[in-house]
């Protein structure tokens, strides 16, 4: 009878460890120590010491290789669901189809195509594309949840976070392609603030309505505080750099006081070089954080096994290992690939049709980028959340209430961290490759709002516990930002430095428009 993989790996590790101990001279016959001669130094090495050290290093390297092989085998067995029930194609398609009522909006996809090519009213095209993206976004969420059964907790979380940012990243790439850099920057800030304040705040309100507090993983919370802070403060550096230059020129005795004389192609070149270097450094931070989360130091192979991990998190990991998914992994990946392609085209048409909102003159462009577009990307999750809340309240009053969850849902904060440390630097590098003048010099109001959001989130989650009152405070602060943004027209210097073409031409165009 063959032993399980974990048992085989454990016995092999024990044998290799014994060999290493023998190579170090730590044998089990310690009851008979070697005789010590008088006046002989114990630091004298025997001729076989060097060979023992080499043998020990070889055995240690062999142990690491064997552990790596066993880990790959365990991952492959989990991905292929070895020894468990296989899911057919028909069952997988049926599960996707009936996964949510939002799938009824899939019919909006072909209608959106017709609306675009037939040049219907822009407001109608925007609305139809909006509902089409709602259905596609839900497919990303459901597909990410199903892939977690095959990828495990760590890679599954990364897949869900990446798929959760798919709509926002696609909108950002479309704006970059159209060289709408000012709108792109405000959208980046709006997406991060939305997933820092409104989404987790609403989750804390609904999740903590019937329990005094909910738990967060302390190790993940501490790491998220650091990652979020460094991502946000990185945006403060170019703003401080630009403000220092501005102050120097205005207070100097020999430099001209006109702000237009400060905005030059040479200044933008310096900002571009600075932004590209900062983007590479942010990517390094994000990669290191993923490595730490996937393979933390110590005997535990994941943070869910840490002593301070919430019990609800451990139960979630066990559920991923024991329960069966609803969708075949290959069918899931195929549907997600098709959904991403459809969403990319639909999002581009929606961005094109949004010009009617900008040309109306009633809504500032800052509000469109910071509030409207991020809310569009969140529409599916918001609709699901509203329906879930209504269903939960009806069940609470008319049926047996569901026990409250003790684990707070803070995945949206991970979405903000990935968007700040991965997607935003990636936009900078893609802009570098496509010769677009995208820098990390953001609007001062946007950066101030983002720093405030970061402060609120870190303060609320500092004790790794949340309640509904703290969640309501986060939602209210998001409403405050949305209110102030409604009246904000934007910083003209950022508009000039973000224009495609020379800075002088941008200054001339802005002067003519005034």
């Amino acid at each position: 009878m063959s032993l399980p993989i974990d048992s085989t790996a454990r016995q092999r590790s024990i044998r290799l460890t014994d060999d290493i101990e023998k190579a170090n001279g730590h044998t089990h016959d310690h009851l008979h120590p070697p005789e010590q001669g008088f006046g002989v130094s114990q630091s004298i090495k025997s001729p076989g010491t060097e060979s023992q050290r080499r043998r020990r290093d070889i055995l240690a390297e062999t142990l690491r290789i064997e552990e790596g092989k066993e880990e790959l085998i365990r991952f492959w067995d989990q991905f292929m669901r070895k020894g468990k029930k296989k899911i057919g194609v028909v069952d997988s398609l049926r599960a996707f189809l009936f996964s949510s009522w939002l799938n009824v909006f899939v019919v909006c996809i072909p209608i959106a195509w017709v609306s675009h090519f037939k040049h219907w009213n822009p407001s109608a095209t925007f609305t139809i594309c909006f509902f089409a993206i709602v259905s596609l976004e839900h497919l990303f969420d459901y597909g990410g949840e199903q892939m977690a059964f095959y990828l495990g907790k760590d890679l599954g979380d990364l897949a869900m976070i990446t798929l959760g940012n798919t709509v926002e990243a696609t909108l950002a790439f479309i704006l970059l392609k159209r060289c709408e850099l000012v709108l792109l920057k405000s959208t980046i800030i709006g997406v991060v603030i939305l997933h820092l304040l409104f989404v987790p705040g609403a989750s804390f309100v609904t999740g903590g309505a019937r329990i005094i507090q909910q738990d967060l993983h302390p190790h993940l919370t501490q790491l998220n505080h650091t990652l979020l802070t460094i991502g946000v403060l990185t945006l403060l550096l170019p703003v401080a750099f630009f403000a220092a230059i501005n102050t120097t020129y205005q207070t100097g005795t020999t430099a001209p006081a006109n702000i237009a004389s400060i905005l030059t192609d040479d200044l933008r070149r310096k900002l571009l070089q600075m932004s590209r270097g900062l983007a590479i450094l942010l990517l390094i931070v994000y990669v290191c954080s993923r490595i730490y989360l996937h393979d933390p130091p110590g005997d535990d192979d994941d943070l869910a096994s840490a002593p301070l991990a919430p019990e609800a998190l451990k139960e979630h990991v066990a559920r991923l290992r024991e329960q069966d998914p609803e969708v075949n992994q290959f069918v899931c990946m195929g549907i997600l690939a098709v959904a991403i392609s459809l969403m990319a085209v639909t999002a581009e048409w929606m961005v094109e049709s949004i010009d009617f909102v900008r040309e109306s003159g009633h809504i500032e462009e800052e509000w469109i980028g910071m509030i409207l577009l991020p809310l569009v990307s969140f529409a599916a999750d918001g609709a699901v959340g509203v329906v879930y809340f209504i269903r939960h309240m009806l069940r609470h009053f008319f049926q047996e209430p569901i026990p409250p969850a003790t684990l707070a849902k803070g995945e949206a904060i991970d979405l903000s961290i990935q968007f700040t440390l991965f997607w935003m630097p990636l936009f900078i590098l893609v802009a570098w490759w496509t010769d677009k003048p995208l820098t990390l010099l953001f609007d001062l109001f946007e950066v101030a709002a983002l720093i405030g959001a970061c402060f609120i989130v870190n303060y609320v989650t500092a004790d790794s516990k949340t309640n509904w009152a703290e969640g309501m405070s986060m939602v209210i602060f998001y409403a405050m930002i949305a209110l102030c943004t409604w009246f904000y027209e934007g910083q003209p210097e950022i508009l000039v430095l973000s224009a495609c073409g020379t800075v002088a031409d941008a200054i001339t165009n802005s002067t003519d428009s005034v």
Side-chain angles (χ1 to χ4, degrees):
M1 178 177 176
S2 59
L3 292 173
I5 292 178
D6 292 342
S7 178
T8 304
R10 189 178 299 107
Q11 290 190 357
R12 189 176 302 169
S13 300
I14 293 174
R15 290 197 300 269
L16 289 173
T17 303
D18 292 339
D19 293 338
I20 293 175
E21 291 180 352
K22 292 179 182 178
N24 288 329
H26 300 155
T27 58
H28 294 288
D29 54 354
H30 56 276
L31 297 177
H32 305 283
E35 296 181 358
Q36 299 181 1
F38 295 98
V40 180
S41 174
Q42 297 299 316
S43 63
I44 299 178
K45 299 179 181 179
S46 63
T49 303
E50 188 65 28
S51 62
Q52 290 178 352
R53 184 181 298 109
R54 287 197 300 268
R55 183 185 177 193
R56 178 193 61 196
D57 295 340
I58 293 174
L59 291 174
E61 182 66 23
T62 303
L63 178 61
R64 286 192 294 268
I65 294 175
E66 291 294 331
E67 290 177 347
K69 290 181 179 179
E70 297 298 341
E71 183 178 356
L72 289 176
I73 292 175
R74 287 196 299 269
F75 170 78
W76 182 251
D77 288 345
Q78 182 176 7
F79 181 78
M80 298 301 297
R81 305 293 292 180
K82 184 177 180 181
K84 296 187 178 181
K85 183 183 70 173
K86 304 297 182 181
I87 303 173
V89 176
V90 177
D91 293 336
S92 300
L93 296 177
R94 185 183 296 110
F96 260 105
L97 181 62
F98 296 101
S99 59
S100 173
W101 61 272
L102 291 173
N103 291 332
V104 298
F105 293 121
V106 172
V107 299
C108 294
I109 298 176
I111 300 177
W113 299 348
V114 174
S115 177
H116 172 76
F117 289 110
K118 293 295 184 179
H119 303 289
W120 290 0
N121 187 282
S123 60
T125 302
F126 176 83
T127 304
I128 298 171
C129 291
F130 169 79
F131 285 106
I133 290 179
V134 165
S135 63
L136 293 173
E137 185 183 2
H138 168 71
L139 293 181
F140 299 146
D141 295 337
Y142 180 73
E145 294 174 358
Q146 293 301 307
M147 289 303 300
F149 286 96
Y150 299 99
L151 299 176
K153 176 65 170 61
D154 301 326
L155 294 179
D157 286 348
L158 181 60
M160 286 190 292
I161 293 170
T162 305
L163 290 171
N165 278 325
T166 302
V167 177
E168 293 89 340
T170 303
L171 289 174
F173 278 120
I174 293 172
L175 294 174
L176 178 60
K177 175 186 174 183
R178 293 164 54 94
C179 207
E180 301 272 2
L181 302 186
V182 175
L183 188 59
L184 169 60
K185 290 181 179 181
S186 59
T187 302
I188 291 175
I189 299 296
V191 167
V192 176
I193 291 178
L194 177 77
H195 288 148
L196 281 182
L197 295 176
F198 185 77
V199 180
S203 175
F204 296 162
V205 170
T206 56
R210 295 187 297 128
I211 189 172
I212 188 171
Q213 63 185 16
Q214 290 183 305
D215 298 325
L216 293 167
H217 196 308
H219 298 300
L220 293 177
T221 303
Q222 293 169 6
L223 178 61
N224 285 347
H225 287 173
T226 303
L227 296 177
L228 182 60
T229 302
I230 191 174
V232 171
L233 292 184
T234 300
L235 297 181
L236 182 62
L237 297 178
V239 172
F241 175 83
F242 181 74
I245 293 177
N246 189 5
T247 303
T248 302
Y249 278 145
Q250 289 183 345
T251 59
T253 56
T254 59
N258 186 7
I259 187 63
S261 63
I262 305 174
L263 307 179
T264 62
D265 289 308
D266 182 65
L267 173 61
R268 187 166 69 175
R269 178 182 57 82
K270 294 178 181 178
L271 291 171
L272 286 171
Q273 294 175 348
M274 180 191 308
S275 301
R276 292 159 184 168
L278 293 174
I280 295 174
L281 295 175
L282 286 178
L283 286 174
I284 293 175
V285 171
Y286 185 73
V287 172
C288 292
S289 67
R290 297 310 100 181
I291 294 175
Y292 170 79
L293 291 177
H294 178 67
D295 187 16
D299 297 332
D300 298 326
D301 59 350
D302 55 58
L303 292 179
S305 303
L308 297 179
E311 291 298 326
L313 180 61
K314 297 179 180 179
E315 294 175 359
H316 173 66
V317 175
R319 184 177 65 86
L320 292 178
R321 294 174 179 174
E322 298 172 0
Q323 292 186 3
D324 293 325
E326 300 175 352
V327 178
N328 179 278
Q329 65 270 44
F330 299 106
V331 174
C332 185
M333 290 187 293
I335 291 178
L336 289 176
V338 173
I340 291 174
S341 302
L342 295 176
M343 189 271 301
V345 178
T346 308
E348 183 171 4
W349 295 340
M350 187 182 69
V351 172
E352 291 179 2
S353 63
I354 205 175
D355 289 337
F356 82 95
V357 180
R358 303 165 66 181
E359 295 172 357
S360 64
H362 301 296
I363 302 178
E364 298 294 343
E365 188 162 334
E366 286 289 326
W367 197 88
I368 295 175
M370 287 188 64
I371 307 300
L372 180 59
L373 289 180
L375 284 176
V376 168
S377 65
F378 177 67
D381 291 334
V384 172
V386 171
V387 173
Y388 173 80
F389 180 76
I390 295 175
R391 184 187 305 169
H392 172 77
M393 294 301 296
L394 293 177
R395 177 183 288 270
H396 179 73
F397 286 108
F398 298 104
Q399 299 180 12
E400 182 180 356
I402 301 175
T406 60
L407 184 65
K409 294 183 178 181
E411 292 84 358
I413 300 177
D414 296 326
L415 295 176
S416 296
I417 292 173
Q418 188 192 69
F419 211 83
T420 306
L421 299 183
F422 176 76
W423 288 110
M424 184 176 67
L426 185 61
F427 300 149
I428 297 294
L429 298 182
V430 172
W432 184 13
W433 179 50
T434 56
D435 198 22
K436 298 289 194 308
L438 179 63
T439 67
L440 289 178
L441 179 61
F442 284 68
D443 191 288
L444 178 60
F445 172 78
E446 297 172 353
V447 175
L450 183 58
I451 292 176
C454 176
F455 173 79
I456 292 294
V457 170
N458 286 352
Y459 193 82
V460 167
T461 61
D463 57 352
S464 301
K465 300 181 183 300
T466 65
N467 55 65
W468 73 265
E470 292 176 334
M472 181 59 68
S473 301
M474 297 167 67
V475 174
I476 293 299
F477 189 66
Y478 180 80
M480 292 178 180
I481 295 176
L483 175 63
C484 296
T485 307
W486 179 264
F487 303 99
Y488 185 63
E489 298 180 358
Q491 195 172 350
E493 296 89 344
I494 305 301
L495 178 63
V496 171
L497 292 174
S498 301
C500 291
T502 64
V503 175
D505 293 340
I507 294 176
T508 303
N509 294 333
S510 62
T511 304
D512 295 339
S513 62
V514 174

